[in-house]
Amino acid sequence: MYIGRDIFTLIHMKKNRRQFLKNVTLGIIGTGIAPVIARTNYDEKFISPQSCNAVTEDYYGEGPFYTDNPPEIQNGMLASASEPGQRLIITGVVKNLDCQEIIPNTEIDIWHANDAGAYSSGSDYTLRGKTYTNSQGFYSIETIFPGKYLNAGQFRPRHFHFKITPPGFPTFTTQTYFQGDSDIPSDPASSVSSGQFDATNRILPYTVNAQGTIEVTWDIVIEGNGILGVDNLHLNNGMIYSVSPNPFENEITINYGVFKTADIKIEIYNLNGVLVANINKNQLTPEKYTAVWKPEKKLSSGIYFCALKVNDIQVHYQKIIKK
């Protein structure tokens, strides 16, 4: 296991906790955050009241296009580099129903249409595969933005199919959609807004990064055996409120706040859940802080997760990308 060089700088800001919280609150109000919106520099999924709702079933269920025994996704790449279509990365963490514990080793089976709206069939597993959440409960899948296809005379909105299986628990099957899709209001499944098949929190916000890749965050809340604490624990403990630049090449600045005196760690994990760097390990008082991480050049490019731990409990995270 490679542990990156621990190079960080702490900048002690002369503001008390109350002023810090006030600043964060004003910053959030200034962005005009609604219950579900596209991401900004703040990570709204930890602010939104919808972040802790359990995943619901989809009205259409599994659908007719599933193929058994899909292959395991390699290096997080569901779509090959040559697959036509706009690239898309979906990341998140899988949590149990109390919304405070993550579930490692959860199987995530995903399949979807190609750019032209067609599904592969038979032994062709194009855009079909399964992956597992890592030891920290994280997952990341790179694919393409799915196309639309006609269903009973009307187009279905773009969507992903998921089968989610926590260790020792039943499989849960559902679908996700994308905010702003003009075909959602007329779709029998994605337009459902209450009850067992309520799709409201499965219509996902997304952003497009500087490289033209769509970025989606979906934290999955489902029954399972929780292990590590997460979610709204950050509201009373601390949070990572920005990372920049992201993607980064030689170094990345992590701005975070500590809300109570505690043992604080900032750790970097790769897609497999392997710890690659301890950036900070100190007892800190309530303040704003900044850590600068300069990984060694031999650290490979890709997606990593920056986690803030308070007294060894993970309370917040951000996805970061090394060029």
Side-chain angles (χ1 to χ4, degrees):
M1 176 176 67
Y2 162 65
I3 302 295
R5 184 171 51 184
D6 296 344
I7 301 178
F8 77 96
T9 303
L10 287 179
I11 300 177
H12 192 75
M13 308 298 289
K14 295 182 179 179
K15 294 183 179 180
N16 60 27
R17 178 187 175 190
R18 179 177 297 179
Q19 183 63 43
F20 169 66
L21 291 174
K22 178 181 178 181
N23 290 347
V24 172
T25 302
L26 290 174
I28 292 170
I29 293 171
T31 62
I33 290 176
V36 178
I37 66 172
R39 291 181 294 125
T40 66
N41 286 337
Y42 293 96
D43 199 348
E44 286 89 358
K45 68 180 182 298
F46 291 100
I47 298 166
S48 163
Q50 298 193 20
S51 65
C52 228
N53 287 345
V55 174
T56 55
E57 297 176 290
D58 191 78
Y59 176 77
Y60 277 148
E62 179 181 295
F65 301 115
Y66 181 67
T67 300
D68 290 324
N69 302 314
E72 189 165 339
I73 297 170
Q74 300 299 311
N75 300 317
M77 299 282 289
L78 179 64
S80 68
S82 61
E83 181 69 30
Q86 185 174 9
R87 304 304 289 188
L88 180 150
I89 298 175
I90 181 168
T91 56
V93 63
V94 177
K95 299 176 282 190
N96 70 3
L97 290 178
D98 70 4
C99 298
Q100 294 187 357
E101 295 178 312
I102 62 94
I103 312 174
N105 302 314
T106 296
E107 182 179 291
I108 299 177
D109 185 346
I110 178 174
W111 69 103
H112 64 83
N114 64 16
D115 183 58
Y119 287 85
S120 61
S121 59
S123 59
D124 179 3
Y125 287 99
T126 300
L127 303 178
R128 302 174 184 272
K130 62 182 178 182
T131 189
Y132 296 86
T133 57
N134 64 27
S135 61
Q136 304 300 307
F138 299 130
Y139 74 95
S140 180
I141 300 168
E142 181 172 343
T143 185
I144 56 107
F145 205 26
K148 299 184 179 185
Y149 57 88
L150 283 171
N151 179 61
Q154 65 184 44
F155 281 100
R156 287 224 67 207
R158 303 174 194 270
H159 60 279
F160 289 151
H161 295 262
F162 286 95
K163 283 179 175 286
I164 305 160
T165 311
F169 283 77
T171 296
F172 193 93
T173 303
T174 194
Q175 299 179 33
T176 60
Y177 304 91
F178 300 93
Q179 278 190 7
D181 194 310
S182 59
D183 288 302
I184 286 177
S186 59
D187 183 67
S190 58
S191 63
V192 178
S193 58
S194 63
Q196 178 183 355
F197 304 114
D198 182 1
T200 303
N201 296 306
R202 291 184 283 107
I203 301 174
L204 306 179
Y206 64 91
T207 58
V208 179
N209 66 25
Q211 291 71 44
T213 299
I214 294 171
E215 294 190 356
V216 184
T217 298
W218 187 37
D219 285 353
I220 303 169
V221 180
I222 192 170
E223 185 175 6
N225 181 22
I227 302 297
L228 299 175
V230 292
D231 202 65
N232 291 332
L233 293 175
H234 79 286
L235 294 177
N236 296 316
N237 291 278
M239 68 183 293
I240 300 170
Y241 56 93
S242 70
V243 288
S244 64
N246 194 21
F248 72 101
E249 188 168 2
N250 298 317
E251 66 178 54
I252 187 168
T253 299
I254 303 157
N255 294 302
Y256 64 101
V258 174
F259 300 164
K260 65 180 183 181
T261 300
D263 291 328
I264 303 298
K265 296 179 183 178
I266 294 183
E267 299 177 338
I268 308 295
Y269 293 88
N270 66 16
L271 273 178
N272 296 321
V274 175
L275 179 69
V276 298
N278 290 303
I279 302 177
N280 178 21
K281 184 179 180 181
N282 284 294
Q283 185 176 74
L284 299 177
T285 56
E287 295 288 353
K288 281 183 177 180
Y289 296 93
T290 295
V292 178
W293 181 40
K294 298 179 180 179
E296 293 184 352
K297 292 182 179 180
K298 66 181 180 180
L299 186 69
S300 60
S301 300
I303 294 173
Y304 294 85
F305 294 93
C306 176
L308 172 65
K309 291 188 175 180
V310 177
N311 293 331
D312 285 324
I313 300 297
Q314 180 183 299
V315 300
H316 210 193
Y317 79 91
Q318 289 273 13
K319 180 187 71 176
I320 58 177
I321 301 174
K322 185 180 184 299
K323 294 180 181 179

